[in-house]
Amino acid sequence: MKLPLCFLLILGCVVVHGQSPDCKEIKDICSKCIRTLNDPYNKVEFINKGCRNRVRGSYVWTDQNLCELQAIACSAPNRAMHCVVIAELAKMRKVTPRPPG
């Protein structure tokens, strides 16, 4: 009884792990696709502009395209995609406060 149960448990773990998305692969496939489309929506300027303003005092915002945002969302499925979270996951440079004087 224990052997079949262990086998099913191991098989279940392998199947679940095999279904986890490869975020880099998603980004690469998406990037190949949007290069063929000349659509300004892919540059998500509305998100970049809004987030640049929201994180101004914390991060130096670097523009993200649609594929980069998909890869970021894929890499952290349990986190809300707020501007600060995107900046953190995209490894944007933090703003260093200047000393007074």
Side-chain angles (χ1 to χ4, degrees), residues 42-54:
N42 295 325
K43 295 181 181 170
V44 290
E45 292 176 16
F46 57 98
I47 292 176
N48 286 313
K49 184 178 180 182
C51 283
R52 185 175 292 106
N53 289 334
R54 285 188 188 97

Side-chain angles (χ1 to χ4, degrees), residues 52-63:
R52 185 175 292 106
N53 289 334
R54 285 188 188 97
V55 302
R56 186 177 310 149
S58 305
Y59 289 93
V60 177
W61 184 265
T62 54
D63 285 352

